[in-house]
Amino acid sequence: MHIKAAVVRESGGPFLIEDLELEAPQAGEVLVRIVACGICHTDLIIRDQYYPTPLPIVLGHEGAGVVEAVGPGVKSVRPGDHVLMSFAYCGNCPSCLDGAPSYCWHHMEMNFSGMRYSGKAWDVPAPLLRRLPSGKPERINGAFFNQSALATHAIATEQNVVVVAPDLDLKTLAPLGCGFQTGAGAILNTLRPEVGSSLVILGAGNVGLAALMAAVVARCSPIIVIDQVPARLELATSLGATHVIDASRVDALDAVMKLCPGGVRYALETTGNPGVLQGAFEMLQTRGVCGLIGGSRIGTKASFDMTHLLFGRTVRGILQGDSKPKKFLPQLIELFRQGLFPVDRLVRFYPLEDIEHAIADMKSGQVIKPVLLMER
Ligand SMILES: [Zn+2]
Ligand SMILES: [Zn+2]
C-alpha cells in the first residue's frame, strides 16, 4: 500500500517526508494505521549513527494507532483494535524466559538491524520500498523496534502491540511504549524504592520527568531533580519534585550533599553523559543504587572510585524500565486515568511534516515530548 514516512538517508539527518510502499503483513504481523508517534532520544542517536543501524531507514518507536489488518496466525489482535506499540523481543532467550524481555539477547538485531523479524529469523528485509522514477524499487530499512512508526502506516507484530481501550487518547499516550515506560519503570519495576527513600533524578527530559511522576506515586522523599533548563526545573517542581538544582549555576554534587549529607539512596541518570553518570554515582550513600538509563555512543567509558563502589553501592543499567509492555502499559494507563501519571503535561503535538521543527524544540528544551500526528 501507499504510505508517507519520514526517512533518514544520511548520518545526522534530516528527516525527509517521502512516498513509500508498504508490503502486506506476514505471519504474526499486524498492519497499523498510525495516529501518532512520539520522538525519543533513541531516534536521534540512530539518526546520528551512534549504533550501526543501516540507512536509509524509517525510524519512530513510540507509535500508536488502529489495527487495519492482521497476518496469518494472529489471534489476540483484531482489525479495529486501538494499540500502543513497544519494543521487540524474541520470547525464547534466557532473558525472555526469565521474564526480562527488554534484555532479550536479540535486542539489537530485533530493534536496531533495520530488518524484519519473521518469527524465525530477523534477517528478512523490511516491508518498505520506494518506487524510483525508473520504476525500479529501492529497499528502505525499517522494522525499527518492530514498527518504524514515523509514517502513516506501519507493520508491527502481535507481540509488540498492546491493545488499549478505544476511549483513550492515542496521541497523548503514544510515548508510553518507550520514553514514559522507561522512566516510570525504572522507579516502579527496577529500583522499587521504599516509602521515604531519597532520590536524585539527573536530567528532566521526558524520561526523567516520567520517573519523577512515578517517584511521587512511590512516595520517595526527598525527590531532587537536576537539569540545566529553568523551564524544565519549574515543570519538575509543579510535578512534585521537592528540590530542583540548576547544574548550569551551581555544583550539583555539592548541592545534593548539602541536602542529603550522607548521600542519596537512589540516583537515576537519564542523560547518557559519562560525567553526569560519575556524579550520580558519587552522590550515593552506602548501599545506594544508581540506575543508568541514558543511551550513549557505543564505546563510551565512565570511571568510578573502586573503594566508593566497594561499600555496597550498585550501578545498574536499565533498559525500557524493565517493562513487560502488555502488563506494565495498562498499569501506567490506570495511573494516568487516576491523575497520578499526568503525561498530558509533557506532550506537544506537531504534524508529521514539521518533524524537524519538533526536534529543534525538543533540543532547545522548549518541549519535553514532541508527538507527531499522521492525520490532520
Ligand atoms: Zn529474547
Ligand atoms: Zn525510545
Side-chain angles (χ1 to χ4, degrees):
M1 69 182 296
H2 175 82
I3 69 167
K4 266 195 200 315
V7 182
V8 174
R9 292 189 167 271
E10 58 186 72
S11 178
F15 287 83
L16 305 164
I17 308 301
E18 296 189 3
D19 294 305
L20 303 180
E21 286 172 38
L22 185 66
E23 294 171 357
Q26 297 178 353
E29 293 180 338
V30 299
L31 169 67
V32 181
R33 174 175 61 79
I34 304 294
V35 170
C37 181
I39 298 178
C40 173
H41 182 62
T42 304
D43 295 307
L44 305 183
I45 69 173
I46 298 306
R47 174 199 66 184
D48 298 340
Q49 295 282 280
Y50 280 29
Y51 304 166
T53 299
L55 304 177
I57 192 166
V58 176
L59 299 171
H61 62 287
E62 292 182 343
V66 181
V67 174
E68 284 206 337
V70 302
V74 172
K75 293 197 174 71
S76 62
V77 183
R78 284 180 302 211
D81 281 348
H82 288 211
V83 292
L84 304 178
M85 289 181 263
S86 193
F87 61 89
Y89 55 95
C90 81
N92 292 308
C93 72
S95 290
C96 287
L97 293 173
D98 247 1
S102 60
Y103 306 96
C104 176
W105 288 27
H106 304 293
H107 185 90
M108 291 306 276
E109 304 99 291
M110 292 191 65
N111 291 288
F112 292 98
S113 69
M115 300 283 186
R116 181 184 204 177
Y117 183 61
S118 68
K120 298 190 192 77
W122 37 84
D123 53 359
V124 182
L128 291 160
L129 294 170
R130 189 170 80 110
R131 197 60 61 179
L132 296 170
S134 64
K136 277 177 102 181
E138 176 197 19
R139 182 68 70 176
I140 307 288
N141 295 291
F144 187 60
F145 283 72
N146 263 358
Q147 45 180 299
S148 289
L150 285 171
T152 54
H153 294 78
I155 299 281
T157 65
E158 182 174 19
Q159 188 186 45
N160 79 314
V161 300
V162 179
V163 177
V164 300
D167 65 310
L168 289 164
D169 179 19
L170 290 172
K171 304 192 300 294
T172 298
L173 297 180
L176 283 187
C178 182
F180 294 160
Q181 80 173 353
T182 293
I187 299 293
L188 299 175
N189 297 326
T190 312
L191 300 179
R192 294 173 172 266
E194 287 185 358
V195 170
S197 301
S198 52
L199 168 72
V200 170
I201 296 169
L202 298 101
N206 78 99
V207 170
L209 293 176
L212 165 61
M213 293 176 190
V216 172
V217 169
R219 301 281 190 269
C220 290
S221 183
I223 305 172
I224 304 163
V225 176
I226 304 173
D227 202 279
Q228 301 191 342
V229 179
R232 288 178 169 196
L233 293 173
E234 273 170 38
L235 184 55
T237 301
S238 76
L239 290 169
T242 58
H243 304 79
V244 294
I245 295 170
D246 183 343
S248 71
R249 297 178 51 215
V250 300
D251 183 294
L253 178 58
D254 274 1
V256 167
M257 296 318 258
K258 272 192 194 116
L259 288 168
C260 299
V264 293
R265 184 77 175 94
Y266 297 103
L268 206 52
E269 199 296 316
T270 71
T271 72
N273 177 308
V276 175
L277 175 63
Q278 280 170 230
F281 176 64
E282 286 167 27
M283 290 168 192
L284 293 179
Q285 61 183 235
T286 295
R287 297 177 64 241
V289 182
C290 172
L292 166 64
I293 297 181
S296 52
R297 200 179 281 278
I298 290 175
T300 302
K301 303 273 199 293
S303 65
F304 303 109
D305 181 304
M306 287 172 62
T307 307
H308 196 62
L309 181 64
L310 192 62
F311 277 68
R313 294 179 176 87
T314 303
V315 176
R316 161 78 146 84
I318 307 170
L319 281 179
Q320 295 289 341
D322 284 356
S323 170
K324 294 173 208 160
K326 286 185 197 286
K327 179 181 177 199
F328 190 50
L329 265 49
Q331 293 175 337
L332 292 179
I333 288 169
E334 184 53 33
L335 288 174
F336 173 74
R337 283 194 192 274
Q338 292 180 21
L340 297 172
F341 194 60
V343 289
D344 49 309
R345 296 188 54 196
L346 306 187
V347 296
R348 189 187 295 171
F349 303 122
Y350 300 80
L352 178 64
E353 291 73 15
D354 286 353
I355 182 167
E356 290 291 335
H357 180 195
I359 292 167
D361 286 354
M362 180 181 173
K363 215 175 159 197
S364 70
Q366 280 183 53
V367 58
I368 300 292
K369 172 59 80 179
V371 174
L372 297 168
L373 305 183
M374 305 307 156
E375 310 163 304
R376 303 288 185 116

